[in-house]
Amino acid sequence: MNTEDDRTDGVDTYRLRGRAGRTLDPTTTAVLVIDPVNDFLSEEGAAWDMTESTVTKHDVIGHLRRLIDGVREHDIPVLYGPMAYTSDDYAGQELHRRTGINRIMFEQQMFLAGSWGADFHPNLRPREGEIVLHPHKGSDVFETDLREHLQRLGTTQLVLAGMTANLCVESTGRHAAEHGYDVTFVRDAIGAENLPAYEASIRVNFPLIGNAVLDTDDLLSAIGPDRLPREGDDVYASDQLKLGGIDEVVEDDDGPGYVLVKRGIFNRDTYVPLDAVVRVAEGKAFVNIPKLVVGKVPWDEPPTAASRNAKMGPRPSDIAKLYGSVAPTG
């Protein structure tokens, strides 16, 4: 496992946490539930008039409950990332003058430390011994003690759920991905302050910044030993749109493996590289790019070693200056 201290020089900007499999390994997976609190999820909560539409439409509380119970059966750790504000945050740190969302929370008296609103929803309380993180003050849970817990647990695959899609969940997912974690978003266990914000995150942003976007049932069925997709499985893009069914699975033997989707949604044969299949659930295989992008990538013929190597780019030792005319400062 890599940590911040593993860097060998001052210019590394990305460190892989572990090789990504097509399933979720219980020994290296953790689930982070962000802000499952009354102000977001209860009818009397300070933010309920904003979050009600997505929370009720997608039964977020029910899916969070199913997700948490399901991963506990596999001994996958569940971490909780709540918010809580005191007078020091506003009088001392002036958070209400820093961002729009902090101003809204200040004016609406949301998530005040020790209040009912900042407490966990009664259906989503942590069990004794489960990890409750220090409260985040902005929209990024990664800026708490989260990373220390993930390193201690040996986590390489991070599953995100909770509130809200376009703020805390998205910010934390971006940060985790930049730090080398394999990030999965559980779309029906995530809510937002309105439907447009939810759809923008689920359909546009999550499919690009994470490795997978799954429903709760698909995520739970993807837990276990790594496995290949099978003939007859349906293939879905990362925006949950179906590409077609698998006609053939070719493993990585003499060249790059692939799955063949014959005459799929693009009315042509599509050869999906096996390393683009990032999750395998019951009867389903998920690739890590959206459907509209699948139609633009060169998957109209089987991948070869030569084509894969060309996509890898040049060797670092062959590059004198990264940007052609200049080198990075420092």
Side-chain angles (χ1 to χ4, degrees):
M1 179 181 64
N2 294 303
T3 68
E4 305 297 322
D5 296 330
D6 291 328
R7 296 179 176 181
T8 56
D9 55 51
V11 299
D12 287 334
T13 57
Y14 180 83
R15 280 290 183 176
L16 182 69
R17 296 286 157 176
R19 294 293 174 184
R22 285 175 286 264
T23 56
L24 295 167
D25 181 349
T27 67
T28 58
T29 299
V31 174
L32 173 61
V33 182
I34 300 175
D35 294 325
V37 298
N38 287 316
D39 269 347
F40 273 143
L41 298 175
S42 295
E43 291 185 9
E44 301 301 320
W48 181 248
D49 61 337
M50 293 185 286
T51 60
E52 178 184 8
S53 59
T54 61
V55 171
T56 56
K57 178 180 175 65
H58 301 291
D59 187 19
V60 170
I61 296 171
H63 285 115
L64 279 171
R65 180 74 268 156
R66 174 160 168 70
L67 171 67
I68 293 168
D69 289 343
V71 299
R72 282 172 175 167
E73 292 179 3
H74 295 274
D75 294 323
I76 292 174
V78 181
L79 296 82
Y80 296 81
M83 284 187 285
Y85 294 92
T86 69
S87 60
D88 284 349
D89 298 314
Y90 293 123
Q93 300 297 323
E94 294 190 334
L95 286 181
H96 55 307
R97 293 176 54 81
R98 295 292 178 259
T99 68
I101 188 59
N102 280 113
R103 168 59 72 173
I104 293 171
M105 292 188 292
F106 171 76
E107 297 293 347
Q108 297 293 100
Q109 300 180 56
M110 296 178 184
F111 317 111
L112 295 181
S115 70
W116 171 86
D119 199 5
F120 294 99
H121 186 280
N123 294 344
L124 301 170
R125 293 184 183 278
R127 280 183 177 175
E128 184 176 354
E130 289 184 323
I131 297 168
V132 178
L133 303 173
H134 293 306
H136 54 284
K137 304 298 183 177
S139 59
D140 187 356
V141 183
F142 219 83
E143 289 297 328
T144 66
D145 53 339
L146 172 62
R147 69 182 76 187
E148 287 79 10
H149 285 292
L150 296 181
Q151 290 173 8
R152 177 180 57 80
L153 292 168
T155 301
T156 62
Q157 296 174 299
L158 182 61
V159 176
L160 297 181
M163 303 294 288
T164 61
N166 58 312
L167 289 169
C168 296
V169 177
E170 185 171 317
S171 294
T172 304
R174 287 178 185 272
H175 203 157
E178 291 293 334
H179 278 261
Y181 290 93
D182 179 344
V183 175
T184 299
F185 297 96
V186 189
R187 67 172 188 165
D188 57 2
I190 293 172
E193 59 266 35
N194 54 57
L195 289 170
Y198 174 85
E199 290 294 326
S201 292
I202 296 296
R203 300 292 185 188
V204 180
N205 294 342
F206 290 176
L208 296 176
I209 65 176
N211 204 26
V213 183
L214 303 180
D215 290 331
T216 299
D217 287 345
D218 289 331
L219 181 129
L220 293 176
S221 73
I223 297 172
D226 195 25
R227 60 185 185 270
L228 290 170
R230 296 172 293 192
E231 292 182 12
D233 285 354
D234 290 324
V235 180
Y236 289 84
S238 57
D239 51 10
Q240 291 283 317
L241 297 177
K242 185 177 176 180
L243 302 180
I246 296 177
D247 285 84
E248 183 182 9
V249 178
V250 177
E251 298 188 42
D252 300 282
D253 292 325
D254 298 328
Y258 61 88
V259 298
L260 171 60
V261 180
K262 291 184 69 67
R263 310 301 289 179
I265 195 168
F266 300 107
N267 201 31
R268 61 170 170 80
D269 292 350
T270 302
Y271 298 85
V272 180
L274 265 183
D275 63 3
V277 178
V278 293
R279 292 290 177 269
V280 176
E282 184 61 36
K284 298 178 181 179
F286 297 88
V287 302
N288 62 348
I289 55 176
K291 185 193 78 171
L292 290 179
V293 179
V294 172
K296 300 179 184 297
V297 295
W299 288 357
D300 53 354
E301 58 184 22
T304 64
S307 65
R308 181 172 62 181
N309 289 339
K311 296 173 186 177
M312 293 288 184
R315 294 178 299 179
S317 59
D318 294 337
I319 303 302
K321 294 181 179 179
L322 285 177
Y323 308 122
S325 60
V326 296
T329 303

